Amino acid sequence: MTERLSVRKTYKLFIGGAFPRSESGRSYVVTSAKGEFLANASKASRKDARDAVVAARKAFGGWSGATAYNRGQVIYRIAEMLESRRAQFAAELVAADGVAAKKAAELLDAAVDRLVWYAGWSDKIGAIRGSANPVAGPYFNLSSTEPTGVVAVVAPPTGPLLGLVSVIAPVIVTGNTCVVVASERAPLPSITLSEVLATSDLPGGVVNILTGGSEEIAPWLAGHMDVNGIDLTGAAPDLAKTCEELAAENLKRVLRPPADKIDWLADPGTARMTAFLETKTVWHPIGV
Amino acid sequence: MFEYAPAPESRDVVDIKPSYGLFVNGEFVDGSGSAFKTINPASEEKLAEIAAASAADVDLAVQAARKAFTTWSAMPGAERAKYLFRIARIIQERARELAVLESLDNGKPIRESRDVDLPLVAAHFFYYAGWADKLQYAGYGTRPLGVAGQVIPWNFPLLMLAWKIAPALACGNTVVLKPAETTPLTALLFAEICQQADLPPGVVNIVTGAGETGAAVVNHPDVDKVAFTGSTEVGRLIARSVAGTGKKVTLELGGKAANIVYEDAALDQAVEGIVNGIFFNQGHVCCAGSRLLVQESIAGELLASLKRRLGTLRMGDPLDKNTDIGAINSAAQLAKIRELSDAGEQEGAERWSPACAIPAQGFWFPPTIFTGVAQSHRIAREEIFGPVLSVLTFRTPAEAVEKANNTPFGLSAGVWTEKASLMLWTADRLRAGVIWSNTFNRFDPTSPFGGYKESGYGREGGRHGLEAYLDARDGSL
């Protein structure tokens, strides 16, 4: 009897809620931690990056205008979908990252729990970051938080799932939309994650994921005039410097890569959310 | 229009020295750059000779600040607070002197320096003094950053100094501050106030000079924090120059604020707000309401009323207590305002100014309104930073918001309507950091100020203003 030949998945980009190949027609070989062939992933181009920004901008009005409660529900739904795909992700993590099965399970649990944690922040971050200001005069004066806009995210090269979830969730929970440059070496979990996102009631375009060369794609996003912020967590020092210089052109908010190695299992804190929040202060006279 | 007898404020209250040095490590020292003069823009008379700080001078100032940081940051917050309270009190005691000096060096009417700038300066020091021993409750940690390099503009010289120095010191940082080249005098008087307050040497250092001095401050490798208020163009340069460093940066840059007047607005109040929005401080205000967006149905009536009101504004001697519009700060700024206004005419907008006598000496520009302005015109897109208002119209609230947000800037905006739900709907959609509804150009130390988009990042004022001067990293992600 012949052994059944498995049906492999084609790994594509995730733009505007759809799964296109790179318009450039390019792909690159992705191998396991042990060097075995895993897949030909799409190698995104400048045009793909720009299409992704257009999709993210298009989605911004609706997503930032949705109630915080609704955004929290959607992100909780992502956690539910991720939980239900445990087996698939565990296998992918073992292959991509070379971690043991037990470690893969731990990272997966942490990724699900992180989404749940961030989901709860949607309607609370404004309470801890806003303020009613006691001005010296007859004025109502209130400061509240608003999302920055379209944020480019250079995902960490390691921690292909937990690291990725930990950089995406804080950006979108407050109402931003994003374009993510996935880990170049281990991009496959990011595409599988986009399958989760696509089935989580997350509006198309809120998260867009590009695979390929981060050195090639990240600078296009850093210099893009319709991108409002950039998270350089996954960028090596030289790339981070180049991107920060390009980001100055329209004064993007820049989250620099951390000086020390990140422990993705640690308490995230609020800094990743507040890096891409604006404060709006509204004044109105009080009187009859 | 009523005739007013001149009511000049006496300039005898302030003693201007013939020349000033740099303030480094608690003392005035010579600068090694070539000295420059600061003039009264209302008369072009020379006020004083000012030392210019070279890169070597800046280095000495940074070293002094670094040395002082050790003790200043370790001092109990309650003690730091008392120094700031002391400074606030001395500012109040010497308020008249500072106000006159500000008007002389800057050209702004004494009515504004006396009633707006100086009270806000003192209040800012009082406000942040109170934070110095309460940082653990603010939510940004309690660790200061180190040495702050601060570069400020000429439009509100002493107020911008207060916005920079008060929070920096409250959080335990030390500072090297560069005032604007055309308005260094109140900063140098502030240095004397630091001496009177017995502030430890090196906690505040003031280095005067032009752009090169500012660049030396920003690019000094031992500066941990850069704070800049000024043009978006320079803000971009700074953002680029700190790339790849560990320096924390806040930038408060340009603006092109929309001031939206709906048809149900209280028109007399709106007219006062429009005047305050664009003619306050000769329009030398980054958050000025420089684009008036008026609903088409009331445009004629509003403009007639606005023109009538402009006819009552008095332009002239900044030290005259009746003066509404003072001098333009410099010849260079006047040239820029003229160039952009000429472009407005060339591009087809209609220019109007009230009949208004222009003094023979000094730099002056009459209050000016442009009607028939299209969104593509330079006067609708570029920051003029002068007393020039561009008027555009709209039909629906959606169109008003669309036009208001059609700018790379996002510092401030105004909304005028008697309908609360429309006000909040509009405020919600405007992409700007400060929204004044049924008022304009209000400032308070408790109220965070700062922009969206290319108007910069970071907030000054309020609890939010502490974040710029604390190391809020929580050590994890």
Side-chain angles (χ1 to χ4, degrees):
Chain A
M1 209 172 100
T2 356
E3 200 175 308
R4 179 181 174 272
L5 188 66
S6 65
V7 179
R8 280 183 183 163
K9 178 161 80 184
T10 306
Y11 288 88
K12 299 190 282 186
L13 308 175
F14 183 52
I15 298 174
F19 293 90
R21 286 191 174 84
S22 170
E23 64 78 39
S24 66
R26 303 179 305 173
S27 66
Y28 71 111
V29 172
V30 177
T31 58
S32 72
K34 290 179 190 149
E36 297 149 343
F37 173 83
L38 288 178
N40 292 307
S42 290
K43 189 171 184 185
S45 65
R46 176 188 180 189
K47 176 75 163 66
D48 295 319
R50 295 168 73 141
D51 289 348
V53 173
V54 170
R57 174 59 62 194
K58 199 171 162 201
F60 179 68
W63 183 242
S64 60
T67 63
Y69 179 59
N70 178 242
R71 285 199 301 271
Q73 296 263 301
V74 170
I75 292 174
Y76 185 80
R77 178 77 176 156
I78 300 173
E80 289 180 346
M81 292 295 103
L82 190 56
E83 177 89 26
S84 68
R85 294 234 212 169
R86 286 182 61 89
Q88 181 192 0
F89 273 101
E92 268 190 358
L93 283 181
V94 169
D97 225 15
V99 294
K102 194 173 162 221
K103 183 70 180 173
E106 186 194 350
L107 293 171
L108 200 48
D109 290 345
V112 175
D113 293 354
R114 180 130 309 151
L115 284 164
V116 173
W117 189 76
Y118 274 118
W121 269 115
S122 67
D123 49 9
K124 296 165 193 72
I125 189 74
I128 65 156
R129 293 293 291 203
S131 58
N133 309 306
V135 295
Y139 293 93
F140 168 86
N141 182 290
L142 188 81
S143 296
S144 47
T145 55
E146 286 191 354
T148 294
V150 174
V151 177
V153 177
V154 183
T158 56
L161 182 65
L162 178 59
L164 186 66
V165 163
S166 299
V167 293
I168 293 176
V171 167
I172 63 170
V173 68
T174 58
N176 295 297
T177 57
C178 65
V179 177
V180 181
V181 183
S183 163
E184 186 169 350
R185 190 185 63 76
L188 304 189
S190 71
I191 294 304
T192 311
L193 180 70
S194 57
E195 292 161 12
V196 167
L197 300 175
T199 52
S200 301
D201 305 327
L202 186 73
V206 173
V207 176
N208 305 275
I209 299 183
L210 304 172
T211 55
S214 50
E215 302 243 347
E216 180 191 354
I217 312 165
W220 296 128
L221 295 169
H224 197 297
M225 293 297 276
D226 204 28
V227 172
N228 305 103
I230 185 163
D231 172 3
L232 296 170
T233 297
D238 283 352
L239 178 61
K241 183 168 189 281
T242 303
C243 286
E244 190 175 343
E245 284 169 353
L246 288 164
E249 189 55 32
N250 66 340
L251 294 154
K252 290 179 182 67
R253 285 75 176 117
V254 176
L255 183 59
R256 292 179 179 140
D260 310 316
K261 192 174 185 303
I262 300 177
D263 175 10
W264 292 111
L265 290 165
D267 176 355
T270 57
R272 289 191 166 274
M273 286 183 286
T274 58
F276 302 109
L277 278 179
E278 307 292 324
T279 298
K280 176 185 278 181
T281 301
V282 178
W283 293 67
H284 196 280
I286 296 170
V288 287
Chain B
M1 186 167 164
F2 298 111
E3 287 303 318
Y4 280 73
E9 177 69 55
S10 167
R11 63 178 285 179
D12 295 344
V13 66
V14 58
D15 237 342
I16 303 177
K17 296 183 186 124
S19 67
Y20 288 85
L22 314 172
F23 184 63
V24 176
N25 205 28
E27 288 172 3
F28 284 95
V29 299
D30 292 338
S32 54
S34 46
F36 58 97
K37 62 177 185 177
T38 185
I39 62 168
N40 177 348
S43 64
E44 297 174 61
E45 95 187 90
K46 176 178 154 183
L47 293 172
E49 193 86 19
I50 308 293
S54 66
D57 298 326
V58 168
D59 183 50
L60 289 175
V62 173
Q63 284 180 36
R66 172 61 58 195
K67 188 155 169 275
F69 177 66
T70 312
T71 44
W72 184 251
S73 60
M75 187 183 290
E79 295 302 302
R80 284 204 308 270
K82 286 194 285 183
Y83 279 109
L84 292 171
F85 280 125
R86 217 185 240 193
I87 289 170
R89 271 285 187 252
I90 300 175
I91 288 168
Q92 288 180 321
E93 287 158 10
R94 302 179 69 173
R96 184 57 51 94
E97 193 184 342
L98 287 161
V100 170
L101 189 59
E102 197 76 302
S103 282
L104 282 172
D105 205 15
N106 169 280
K108 65 172 67 194
I110 185 70
R111 191 168 57 82
E112 290 176 10
S113 51
R114 180 194 65 201
D115 298 347
V116 181
D117 294 57
L118 261 296
L120 282 172
V121 170
H124 217 81
F125 276 98
F126 268 104
Y127 178 76
Y128 279 105
W131 269 121
D133 54 359
K134 300 169 191 70
L135 297 174
Q136 66 268 37
Y137 305 105
Y140 304 111
T142 58
R143 221 169 359 164
L145 295 165
V147 175
Q150 308 178 317
V151 179
I152 58 171
W154 47 260
N155 58 342
F156 294 93
L158 193 63
L159 182 58
M160 292 300 101
L161 173 148
W163 282 24
K164 295 284 179 285
I165 291 184
L169 264 48
C171 294
N173 304 277
T174 55
V175 308
V176 176
L177 176 129
K178 191 199 86 72
E181 188 185 3
T182 60
T183 56
L185 292 181
T186 47
L188 294 163
L189 185 50
F190 178 81
E192 283 180 37
I193 290 174
C194 292
Q195 289 178 326
Q196 275 191 340
D198 289 329
L199 189 73
V203 171
V204 168
N205 303 274
I206 293 177
V207 290
T208 42
E212 277 174 38
T213 308
V217 171
V218 167
N219 295 323
H220 195 289
D222 204 30
V223 160
D224 302 290
K225 152 81 193 176
V226 173
F228 172 75
T229 295
S231 70
T232 291
E233 187 189 351
V234 175
R236 263 192 259 282
L237 290 176
I238 292 175
R240 202 168 288 137
S241 70
V242 299
T245 71
K247 290 176 190 174
K248 188 166 177 169
V249 188
T250 43
L251 302 169
E252 204 270 273
L253 309 174
K256 192 72 194 178
N259 201 358
I260 300 172
V261 183
Y262 287 115
E263 60 189 0
D264 73 327
L267 278 199
D268 289 348
Q269 287 171 34
V271 166
E272 289 308 306
I274 294 162
V275 169
N276 183 39
I278 185 64
F279 302 118
F280 170 61
N281 203 31
Q282 296 74 247
H284 299 330
V285 185
C286 46
C287 53
S290 52
R291 284 185 297 150
L292 175 63
L293 297 181
V294 54
Q295 197 150 16
E296 208 174 82
S297 50
I298 55 157
E301 193 188 344
L302 181 81
L303 279 169
S305 186
L306 182 62
K307 287 178 175 177
R308 204 158 48 237
R309 178 69 178 88
L310 256 55
T312 68
L313 293 178
R314 284 155 202 283
M315 187 168 86
D317 181 8
L319 284 190
D320 189 324
K321 288 174 241 180
N322 296 320
T323 294
D324 298 302
I325 311 267
I328 299 302
N329 180 250
S330 65
Q333 185 57 29
L334 180 59
K336 190 188 155 197
I337 297 168
R338 283 183 175 151
E339 195 259 325
L340 272 164
S341 299
D342 291 348
E345 275 184 288
Q346 283 153 18
E347 289 186 325
E350 195 181 321
R351 178 177 185 158
W352 182 90
S353 288
C356 169
I358 293 188
Q361 290 295 307
F363 315 125
W364 305 92
F365 198 89
T368 300
I369 296 179
F370 278 99
T371 49
V373 178
Q375 293 188 81
S376 57
H377 288 169
R378 285 183 68 196
I379 53 169
R381 308 204 65 79
E382 297 177 31
E383 185 175 40
I384 300 173
F385 223 64
V388 181
L389 179 68
S390 300
V391 183
L392 296 92
T393 58
F394 67 89
R395 289 185 178 174
T396 64
E399 187 189 348
V401 168
E402 181 80 30
K403 284 183 167 169
N405 286 337
N406 182 13
T407 166
F409 297 113
L411 189 50
S412 67
V415 188
W416 297 84
T417 170
E418 291 296 283
K419 192 177 177 191
S421 56
L422 177 60
M423 183 276 280
L424 291 171
W425 179 92
T426 308
D428 207 38
R429 280 159 182 75
L430 291 170
R431 300 290 290 167
V434 184
I435 312 290
W436 285 295
S437 37
N438 293 329
T439 185
F440 211 96
N441 272 344
R442 298 288 157 201
F443 307 94
D444 192 275
T446 68
S447 178
F449 183 92
Y452 283 33
K453 302 195 282 185
E454 293 184 26
S455 289
Y457 33 76
R459 291 292 175 268
E460 296 183 285
R463 179 175 60 89
H464 294 75
L466 296 169
E467 187 183 16
Y469 293 98
L470 290 168
D471 185 352
R473 278 178 305 179
D474 41 24
S476 45
L477 302 192

